[in-house]
């Protein structure tokens, strides 16, 4: 299997005032193309830090991180931006839609800067929001906003989707719908899915589960028979 | 409260750029206010004390020749406290170092020094020795320009004789604060001076034994100048009274007064604009601060802080900004006023010109500055007062966007990119702030335009007056009326291209109950050296019969074309007659009337007469002509156009450059402050949104382009009303300086509009750059983590 990411000895240290905090201790990790990887851990375990490093939003303090043949750790600010633009789709806990743009425009804002994007309207249809295209974020429910965010992330045809607690702010039923959509993107478009959660139940839909604690990977388990979101309960 | 103070400092520190911008704008407003108010009060005080200490006359009454006894008898006129007679003559000086004559005004003073009306302030030398024969006291400005000192000799042509006068003193006089002959609008000490001679010497030189031709009077407090003038004119009639006039019509005093009145107007216009903008910007900034701190305010209220304590907290912030601005502004104002002394010295001669620290001006400036600051904070502070703890702790309602009007036109809207849509919808959503920002830019644009307006207006005045109206190279005035033969003499001189006759007659014009002392200038109908123009600079022909009035004179008399005026000639046979107003001409200097010379001569009972000429001189022979004119005894004064223009360029342009620089700096501060704050607020409120774009893969430059678009849009929207506002300011200023001595035309040159536009965009981009630096520091991770 092709490794999309390979991290070796990845470290991220923050300085909180005069205290040094190791958010991520020496971590080795490979992310395979096309897989669904769920990173599981309590808050403060370093999972968000890891995701931000993978997504090119942050730089490691030490270690090497490759995306395919590109050494991400060697890229400058502008190159990192281009990397995010071409290869990464983000989905956040709080959606982060642009409030002044409609649903369709929020998707199009991503396709506008992409090389070979999907059609924005089709992407909205993919998340079942075709009829809400002209609505502003303030006119959409949380679940709808998150689906727009997914459509936006997917629309630029990224190599992977990095999701930080995508269901964290949603109720159970809405959360399931969102997971369903993420899974469909992974299966139908072949987009690698990296998903952070502290909800252990969600791990059941993963190909692999990475458990983290206190800035360290404590366990990686392979899941021979990942479940569909509809089969998951929490 | 100590903790609240700490919060205050930290809040202010985190917004230091924005607060600093407001401090600077407040400082600009207060500085201009304090400067102008100090100048206004200082100039007024200096004038009043000078006039009082040196007994500036209340009434001036020129006559042909009157015995001293008759003049002394005027003290019996009710309301008159004291009169004095003197001899006044215009002469020419033949200075070796100049190739042209210098005009001089002889004024006689008693042989022995005593308390005089219009007394002299001796700055060097002393009074006359003995009877003062061939001795003179000269004007300080003249002595300085020509490097003359005590003991130097001055060749003066007096009563057809050339005399060498020895300088015994150098002096200032309250009636020559503005040292001017009447032919010029600026003091030109290079070519004009006053010479004070002893009575004995003047009487002998002009054959005026025990006689005078000028009367001064001071009045009792509360006496009416009009009644005294009427009585003087009646009693002096048989001595050839040329019409008495009050101090308010005295030339030097008019210039001083016009400046003081102009300052009074300026003291309100410019500072109000600045302080208004400061209030605007503060309003935006404090509004935002309170909005983002709703939670904190609610929390503090929940803890038990009183409403008053919290209002005090935010008010204190504003007051700190206000105090900083006011302290900086008044210091600057004091310094500028101090610098103004130098500028005024170029124009006015006071023994003491005191523009030092004026506590009243500073106090008023500070109070007004703080007042505006409090005004700007009021709304934000009131919203603090209205916030209940429970309400504040609930999350603020989500920002709601709606379709805007433009979107109803799909054809147009589809052409707008996403960043454009973001910008436009954002601006439309924060309507009030957008309107305030646009207003701020508009005001800055207006102030900038105003600074260019001064330059344009002066250039237009100079161009019209000295290229289109006064086309002569030199103007000669003769002592007495002469026949046309004088012209032929002049025309024979080598290098003389044209010599055109002028007849100037002092008159009082009356229209209904309004009347005015002025002069009618008689010109030849085929003359080319004096242009008569209408408002569109088209040539107006001289009527055969009737008068042409300058627009200002027509305005002062309330006369229109077709109205009949009553003319009373002030000299000679003192004819009275009625003539119609045939047309109106536009001139920027003076308020005069024009007529056909032959017709004017007939009106005053002459066949044909002239008392001046306009000359056009071949530049190659200018020196020779000048030298010849120096020796003509009949000539009372010669004024060369190049000297008028030269002195003008030297003094006015330099002064104007300094003022423009200051105003441009001020306007830049406003523009920068407004854009910086608007953009800063916009950035702070949308940090999350912009960070999201960065995460999506937008580069810093692309995100900055959104902010830049927004700022440029605001500036563009502000420009147009700003240009209109600038035009309005310019118009107001031209009204402010519209006097019967000079008028600054209201002109807006395309060049200035262009400069204004460039400057506004320039300031916008600088502010944009300053805010854009914050974008680089935008922490993607942090911003996305925190919930709004």
């Amino acid at each position: 299997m092709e490794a999309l990411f390979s991290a070796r000895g990845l470290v991220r240290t923050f300085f909180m005032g005069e205290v040094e905090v190791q958010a991520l201790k020496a971590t080795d990790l490979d992310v395979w193309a096309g897989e669904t990887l769920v990173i599981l851990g309590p808050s403060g375990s370093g999972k968000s830090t890891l995701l931000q490093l993978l997504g090119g939003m942050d730089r490691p303090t030490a270690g090497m991180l490759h995306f395919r043949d590109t050494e991400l750790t060697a890229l400058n600010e502008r190159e990192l931006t281009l990397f995010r633009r071409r290869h990464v789709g983000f989905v956040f806990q709080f959606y982060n839609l642009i409030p002044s743009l409609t649903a369709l425009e929020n998707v199009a804002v991503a396709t506008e800067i992409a090389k070979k994007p999907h059609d924005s309207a089709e992407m909205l249809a993919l998340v079942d929001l075709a009829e809400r295209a002209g609505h502003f974020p303030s006119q959409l429910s949380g679940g709808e906003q998150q689906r727009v965010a997914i459509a936006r992330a997917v629309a630029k045809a990224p190599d992977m989707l990095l999701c930080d607690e995508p269901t964290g702010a949603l109720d159970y039923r809405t959360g399931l719908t969102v997971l369903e959509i993420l899974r469909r993107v992974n299966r139908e478009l072949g987009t690698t899915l990296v998903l952070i959660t502290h909800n252990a139940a969600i791990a059941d839909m993963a190909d692999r589960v990475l458990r983290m604690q206190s800035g360290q990977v404590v366990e990686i388990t392979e899941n021979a028979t990942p479940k569909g979101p509809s089969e998951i309960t929490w | 409260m100590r903790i609240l103070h700490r919060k205050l400092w930290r809040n202010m520190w985190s917004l230091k750029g924005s607060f600093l911008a407001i401090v600077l704008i407040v400082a600009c407003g207060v500085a201009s206010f304090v400067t102008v108010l100090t100048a206004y009060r200082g100039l007024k005080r200096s004038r009043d004390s000078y006039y009082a200490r040196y007994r500036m006359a209340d009434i001036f009454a020129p006559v042909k020749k009157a015995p001293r006894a008759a003049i002394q008898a005027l003290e019996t006129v009710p309301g008159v406290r004291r009169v004095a007679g003197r001899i006044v003559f215009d002469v020419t000086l033949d200075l070796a170092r100049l190739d042209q004559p210098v005009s001089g005004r002889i004024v006689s003073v008693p042989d022995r020094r005593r308390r005089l009306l219009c007394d002299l302030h001796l700055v060097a030398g002393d009074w006359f020795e003995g009877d003062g024969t061939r001795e003179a006291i000269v004007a300080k400005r003249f002595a300085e320009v020509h490097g003359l000192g005590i003991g130097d000799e001055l060749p003066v042509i007096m009563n057809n004789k050339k005399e060498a006068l020895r300088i015994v003193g150098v002096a200032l006089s309250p009636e020559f604060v503005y040292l001017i002959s009447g032919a010029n609008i600026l003091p030109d000490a290079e070519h004009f001076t006053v010479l004070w001679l002893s009575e004995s010497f003047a009487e002998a030189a002009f054959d005026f034994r025990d006689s005078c031709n000028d009367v001064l009077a001071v009045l009792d407090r509360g006496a009416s100048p009009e009644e005294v003038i009427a009585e003087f004119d009646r009693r002096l009639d048989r001595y050839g009274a040329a019409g008495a006039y009050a101090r308010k019509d005295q030339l030097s005093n008019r210039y001083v007064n016009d400046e003081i009145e102009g300052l009074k107007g300026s003291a309100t216009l410019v500072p109000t604009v600045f302080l208004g903008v400061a209030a605007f910007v503060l309003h935006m900034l404090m509004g935002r601060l309170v909005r983002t701190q709703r939670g904190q305010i609610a929390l503090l209220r929940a803890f038990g802080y009183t409403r008053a304590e919290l209002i005090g907290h935010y008010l204190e912030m504003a007051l700190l900004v206000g105090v900083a601005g006011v302290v900086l502004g008044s210091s600057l104002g004091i310094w500028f006023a101090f610098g103004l002394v130098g500028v005024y010295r170029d124009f006015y001669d006071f023994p003491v010109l005191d523009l030092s620290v004026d506590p009243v001006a500073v106090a008023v400036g500070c109070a007004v500055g703080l007042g505006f600051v409090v005004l700007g904070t009021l709304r934000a502070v009131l919203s603090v007062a209205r916030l209940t703890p429970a309400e504040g702790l609930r999350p603020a309602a989500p920002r709601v966007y709606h379709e805007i009007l433009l979107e109803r036109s799909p054809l147009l809207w589809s052409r707008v990119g996403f960043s454009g849509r973001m910008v436009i919808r954002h601006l439309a959503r924060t309507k009030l702030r957008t309107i305030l920002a646009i207003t701020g830019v508009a005001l800055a644009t207006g102030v900038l335009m105003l600074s260019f307006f001064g330059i344009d207006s002066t250039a237009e005045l100079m161009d019209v007056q000295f290229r289109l109206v006064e086309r002569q190279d030199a103007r000669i005035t003769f002592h007495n009326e002469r026949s046309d033969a004088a012209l032929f003499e002049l025309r024979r001189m080598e290098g003389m291209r044209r010599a055109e006759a002028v007849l100037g007659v002092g008159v009082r014009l009356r229209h209904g109950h309004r009347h005015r002392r002025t002069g009618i200038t008689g010109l030849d109908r085929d003359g080319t050296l004096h242009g008569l123009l209408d408002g569109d600079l088209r040539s107006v022909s001289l009527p055969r019969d009737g008068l042409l009035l300058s627009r200002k004179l027509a305005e002062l008399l309330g006369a229109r074309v077709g109205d009949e005026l009553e003319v009373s000639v002030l000299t000679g046979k003192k004819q009275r007659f009625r003539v119609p107003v045939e047309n109106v001409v536009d001139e920027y200097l003076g308020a005069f009337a024009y007529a056909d010379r032959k017709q004017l001569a007939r009106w005053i009972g002459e066949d044909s007469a002239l008392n001046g000429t306009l000359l056009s001189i071949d530049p190659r022979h200018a020196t020779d002509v000048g030298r010849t004119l120096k020796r003509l005894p009949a000539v009372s004064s010669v004024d060369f156009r190049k000297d008028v223009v030269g002195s003008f360029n030297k003094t006015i342009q330099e002064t104007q450059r300094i003022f423009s620089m200051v105003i441009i700096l001020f306007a830049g501060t406003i523009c920068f402050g407004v854009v910086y704050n608007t953009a800063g607020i916009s950035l702070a409120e949308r940090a999350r949104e912009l960070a999201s774009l960065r995460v999506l893969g937008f580069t810093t430059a692309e995100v900055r382009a959104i902010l830049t678009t927004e700022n440029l849009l605001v500036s563009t929207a502000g420009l147009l009303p700003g240009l209109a506002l600038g035009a309005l300011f310019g118009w107001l200023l031209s009204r402010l300086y519209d006097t019967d001595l000079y008028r600054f035309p209201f002109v807006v040159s395309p060049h200035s509009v262009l400069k204004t536009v460039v400057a506004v965009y320039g300031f916008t981009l600088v502010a944009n750059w300053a805010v854009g630096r914050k974008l680089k520091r935008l922490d993607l991770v942090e911003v996305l983590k925190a919930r709004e």
Side-chain angles (χ1 to χ4, degrees):
Chain A
M1 235 188 307
E2 185 203 4
L4 205 57
F5 282 106
S6 63
R8 295 293 174 265
L10 215 53
V11 175
R12 181 67 172 103
T13 314
F14 293 109
F15 285 91
M16 306 288 274
E18 287 166 16
V19 187
E20 193 183 310
V21 179
Q22 279 217 325
L24 193 64
K25 293 168 190 163
T27 299
D28 296 342
L29 171 71
D30 289 298
V31 179
W32 310 116
E35 72 169 331
T36 296
L37 176 70
V38 168
I39 303 176
L40 208 57
S43 51
S45 60
K47 53 190 195 309
S48 284
T49 306
L50 180 58
L51 193 79
Q52 282 150 11
L53 290 174
L54 292 179
M57 281 168 65
D58 195 11
R59 294 159 177 285
T61 316
M64 292 267 273
L65 177 61
H66 276 86
F67 170 76
R68 295 204 179 107
D69 295 330
T70 314
E71 189 188 336
L72 287 185
T73 32
L75 298 185
N76 64 22
E77 171 57 35
R78 193 179 161 73
E79 289 163 335
L80 267 185
T81 301
L82 289 178
F83 161 71
R84 289 201 300 268
R85 177 186 287 208
R86 288 182 190 144
H87 305 289
V88 191
F90 279 101
V91 177
F92 304 96
Q93 181 178 2
F94 294 116
Y95 339 126
N96 285 313
L97 296 182
I98 312 291
S100 54
L101 296 181
T102 62
L104 184 64
E105 287 165 352
N106 259 292
V107 180
V109 84
T111 60
E112 204 179 42
I113 57 168
K115 261 190 176 162
K116 279 188 198 160
H118 298 298
D119 181 75
S120 305
E122 278 177 26
M123 288 302 107
L124 267 192
L126 183 76
V127 297
D128 294 329
L129 281 176
E131 75 285 2
R132 309 283 272 166
H135 288 66
F136 285 96
S138 59
Q139 298 164 323
L140 298 172
S141 73
E144 286 172 328
Q145 288 188 56
Q146 191 60 301
R147 276 144 67 194
V148 174
I150 294 169
R152 177 176 71 177
V154 175
K156 60 181 185 180
D159 293 294
M160 68 274 185
L161 223 45
L162 302 181
C163 312
D164 193 346
E165 300 274 11
T167 59
L170 303 175
D171 62 66
Y172 174 73
R173 193 164 300 280
T174 320
L176 280 187
T177 319
V178 166
L179 288 178
E180 192 67 62
I181 288 167
L182 286 175
R183 186 184 161 82
R184 208 192 309 163
V185 169
N186 175 249
R187 294 287 182 254
E188 291 175 14
L189 302 176
T191 312
T192 309
L193 186 65
V194 179
L195 196 152
I196 284 184
T197 182
H198 60 267
N199 184 344
I202 294 176
D204 287 348
M205 65 178 274
D207 294 315
R208 285 197 301 157
V209 180
L210 192 109
R211 280 172 211 281
M212 293 190 71
Q213 209 153 30
S214 313
Q216 272 178 312
V217 178
V218 288
E219 188 193 16
I220 299 180
T221 50
E222 297 216 8
N223 195 352
T225 53
K227 290 182 184 168
S230 51
E231 305 163 71
I232 300 173
T233 47
W234 67 83
Chain B
M1 283 306 274
R2 284 198 42 219
I3 294 296
L4 269 191
H5 268 111
R6 210 170 292 169
K7 168 179 175 310
L8 185 115
W9 285 113
R10 284 187 195 143
N11 283 164
M12 293 190 75
W13 182 247
S14 68
L15 292 170
K16 53 186 177 299
S18 304
F19 278 119
L20 186 68
I22 297 170
V23 166
L24 289 179
I25 298 174
V26 172
C28 287
V30 173
S32 49
F33 196 69
V34 170
T35 308
V36 179
L37 199 58
T38 305
Y40 167 69
R41 288 168 43 86
L43 213 52
K44 205 169 165 203
R45 195 174 52 233
S46 300
R47 177 198 63 186
D48 291 346
S49 74
Y50 189 23
Y51 282 4
R53 284 187 54 199
Y54 288 83
R55 292 168 296 281
M56 172 69 166
D58 293 312
I59 303 289
F60 298 78
V63 295
K64 191 98 185 163
K65 192 172 187 177
R68 283 197 178 274
I71 289 167
Q72 218 46 56
L74 290 173
E75 280 193 356
T76 60
V77 172
V80 174
R81 189 190 307 166
R82 193 177 152 192
V83 294
R86 59 184 190 174
I87 300 164
V88 175
F89 270 100
D90 282 345
V91 296
T92 53
L93 282 70
D94 177 10
L95 293 189
R97 56 180 284 259
L98 291 183
D99 290 324
Q100 65 187 67
V102 169
S103 303
R105 179 155 304 153
I106 301 274
V107 175
S108 75
V109 287
D111 298 1
R112 291 275 157 270
R113 177 147 210 201
R114 49 188 155 89
R115 289 162 57 86
L116 303 177
L117 299 189
C118 294
D119 210 345
L120 301 189
H121 171 79
L122 274 176
V123 292
D126 219 328
W127 214 255
F128 314 102
E129 292 166 17
D131 66 359
T133 300
R134 292 194 188 82
E135 289 181 343
I137 296 170
V138 299
K140 173 169 169 259
R141 190 175 281 264
F142 177 74
E144 278 170 2
V145 168
H146 291 277
L148 296 168
I150 307 303
D152 288 340
E153 293 212 325
L154 282 178
V156 180
I157 298 166
M158 301 166 58
N159 208 10
N160 295 348
K161 272 188 306 193
K162 189 161 168 180
E163 301 265 18
L165 304 186
R166 196 170 62 85
I167 298 174
V168 295
V170 176
L172 298 176
S173 156
E175 60 177 322
F176 295 103
V177 172
Y178 201 70
L179 184 65
I180 194 169
S181 66
N184 205 330
I185 49 168
L186 285 171
D188 178 15
E190 175 96 5
H191 303 102
F192 176 71
T193 185
V194 181
L195 297 168
W196 289 277
L197 306 185
S198 76
E199 244 156 38
S200 305
F201 178 45
E203 283 186 3
F206 295 100
D207 301 321
F208 258 62
R209 188 147 308 280
D210 282 327
S211 306
C212 300
N213 66 356
D214 199 45
V215 181
L216 303 177
V218 285
L219 305 183
D220 292 327
R221 196 179 292 273
S224 145
E226 283 72 30
E227 286 167 23
V228 175
I229 285 171
E231 184 61 17
F232 271 30
D233 282 350
R234 203 180 59 75
R235 293 205 197 179
L236 292 172
D237 187 48
R238 58 185 167 134
Y239 304 115
Y245 55 91
R247 183 196 286 180
K248 72 173 173 48
D249 292 319
Q250 198 259 348
L251 197 59
S252 159
N253 181 61
R254 273 160 70 194
Y255 277 99
V256 177
N257 278 359
D258 283 354
E259 176 62 25
I260 291 174
E261 287 307 305
L263 281 173
K264 202 160 93 183
S266 312
T268 47
L269 181 63
V270 176
T272 312
V273 172
F274 278 102
L275 293 173
V277 173
F280 262 12
V281 179
L282 199 60
H283 175 94
M284 295 195 289
L285 191 69
M286 292 302 290
R288 176 197 154 223
L289 199 65
V290 169
R291 259 197 315 282
T292 52
Q293 295 190 343
R294 289 173 80 239
Q296 298 177 32
I297 296 165
L299 203 68
L300 289 168
R301 293 274 286 122
F303 285 168
Y305 279 93
T306 64
R307 193 168 280 182
E309 277 167 332
L310 285 169
I311 289 176
H313 173 65
Y314 286 96
L315 211 53
E316 205 180 328
M317 237 180 251
L319 282 179
L320 271 173
V321 169
V323 167
V326 152
V327 167
L328 182 66
S330 43
S331 314
L332 268 176
I334 289 167
W335 183 54
F336 285 162
F338 194 70
L340 262 188
V341 174
V343 173
Y344 280 133
R345 272 205 194 113
D346 282 345
F347 300 94
Y348 306 104
D349 293 318
F350 286 102
V352 183
L353 180 55
D354 178 18
L355 301 186
S356 58
V357 185
D358 179 342
V360 174
V362 171
V364 174
C366 290
V368 171
L370 286 178
F372 270 95
V373 164
V374 170
L375 203 69
T377 325
L378 222 53
R379 213 178 93 113
V381 165
L382 286 180
S383 73
V384 171
R386 277 197 298 265
L387 198 68
T388 62
E391 192 187 333
L393 285 173
R394 280 196 295 272
R399 277 187 280 156
V400 178
Y401 285 87
H402 291 291
E403 283 198 346
I404 60 170
L405 209 60
L406 189 63
E407 297 179 40
R408 307 255 165 88
S409 158
L411 203 68
L412 272 177
W413 191 243
S414 64
R415 282 163 206 270
V416 181
F418 295 108
S419 49
R421 291 182 187 191
M422 283 175 70
V423 167
I424 292 171
R425 286 198 187 122
H426 182 74
L427 290 177
R429 195 186 76 90
T430 52
K431 264 190 211 72
L432 183 65
R433 189 195 310 151
T434 306
I435 289 168
L436 287 179
I438 289 173
T439 312
V441 172
L443 286 170
T445 310
V447 173
L448 264 172
M449 278 271 288
L450 188 62
S451 75
F452 293 128
F453 167 78
I455 298 171
D456 282 350
S457 177
T458 319
E460 170 79 2
L461 183 152
M462 290 300 286
D463 185 59
V464 169
Q465 194 66 29
F466 295 109
R467 189 173 62 84
L468 300 175
V469 175
E470 298 188 26
R471 299 175 192 157
Q472 81 280 5
D473 295 312
R475 169 199 287 268
I476 293 181
T477 313
F478 296 111
H479 284 298
N480 298 302
E481 276 154 27
R482 304 176 68 82
S483 71
D484 289 8
L487 277 184
F488 304 131
E489 213 175 302
L490 286 167
R491 282 179 186 150
R492 275 210 307 274
M493 286 163 99
E494 198 181 355
M496 189 65 73
R497 284 203 283 227
R498 284 189 77 87
E500 294 177 2
V502 173
L503 175 61
V505 176
V507 295
R508 175 169 277 127
L509 298 180
R510 188 179 291 276
H511 178 247
H513 63 282
R514 302 197 205 189
H515 60 92
R516 197 84 197 161
R517 244 179 86 100
T518 178
I520 300 178
T521 304
L523 298 169
D524 284 337
R525 288 174 52 78
D526 58 354
T528 58
L529 296 180
H530 188 99
L532 296 166
L533 308 167
D534 68 8
D536 299 322
L537 301 181
R538 277 185 309 242
S539 208
V540 173
S541 64
L542 204 59
R544 277 178 205 288
D545 201 10
L547 289 179
L548 279 185
L549 298 189
S550 75
R551 190 166 300 284
K552 185 69 191 184
L553 184 58
E555 205 180 291
L556 290 169
L557 290 171
R560 275 183 295 191
V561 173
D563 289 352
E564 250 191 13
L565 300 184
E566 187 188 309
V567 183
S568 318
V569 178
L570 295 173
T571 51
K573 297 174 196 136
K574 300 204 173 172
Q575 289 84 352
R576 282 181 177 220
F577 48 92
R578 295 180 70 84
V579 287
V581 177
E582 288 292 336
N583 213 336
V584 171
V585 289
D586 273 79
E587 290 183 341
Y588 297 132
L589 299 181
F592 302 112
Y594 295 92
D596 174 53
R597 182 172 69 97
K598 298 267 182 348
Q599 181 61 45
L600 179 61
R602 277 194 288 279
W603 285 334
I604 62 167
E606 307 268 345
D607 191 24
S608 172
L610 60 94
N611 54 14
T613 57
L614 302 177
L615 307 178
S616 165
I617 305 164
D618 184 338
R620 284 169 300 180
H621 297 279
T623 317
D624 299 332
V625 172
R627 283 196 191 125
T628 315
L629 290 177
K630 275 164 86 168
R631 297 191 190 94
L632 290 182
V635 170
S636 81
S637 69
V638 182
D639 297 287
F640 283 84
R641 188 180 56 168
K642 67 172 170 51
D643 299 332
V644 180
V645 177
S647 67
F648 193 90
N649 288 343
K650 209 174 77 197
T651 35
I652 293 284
Q653 286 187 346
E654 198 165 314
T655 310
Q656 224 164 37
R657 220 180 22 243
I658 299 170
F659 278 106
S660 295
M661 283 296 291
V662 172
I663 294 197
I664 289 170
L665 213 68
F666 280 15
T669 308
I670 287 191
C671 198
F672 178 86
V674 167
V675 176
Y676 181 84
N677 267 297
T678 320
I681 291 168
S682 178
L683 174 62
E685 283 188 356
R686 294 196 292 163
R688 194 182 181 81
E689 194 174 320
L690 298 176
S692 305
L693 287 176
R694 292 276 290 118
V695 171
L696 277 178
F698 279 74
T699 60
T700 319
E702 282 164 337
V703 174
R704 184 184 297 148
I706 294 174
L707 276 186
T708 309
T709 311
E710 192 168 307
N711 293 335
L712 287 178
L713 227 83
V714 166
S715 290
T716 307
L719 258 175
L720 211 63
L723 290 174
L725 197 67
L728 178 71
F729 287 162
W731 180 80
L732 277 175
L733 205 70
S734 77
R735 297 303 302 165
L736 223 57
Y737 283 94
D738 179 346
T739 74
D740 51 348
L741 292 171
Y742 48 77
R743 281 163 300 288
F744 281 94
F746 170 59
V747 276
V748 179
S749 77
H751 192 67
S752 295
V753 171
L754 189 70
K755 276 196 284 189
T756 305
V757 171
V758 169
V760 167
Y761 279 124
F763 291 131
T764 304
L765 290 177
V766 171
N768 186 63
W769 168 81
V771 174
R773 289 184 322 155
K774 286 187 183 170
L775 261 186
K776 272 197 189 137
R777 284 180 260 140
L778 201 64
D779 188 335
L780 304 188
V781 178
E782 274 306 311
V783 167
L784 293 181
K785 239 192 256 168
R787 185 81 219 251
E788 274 189 348

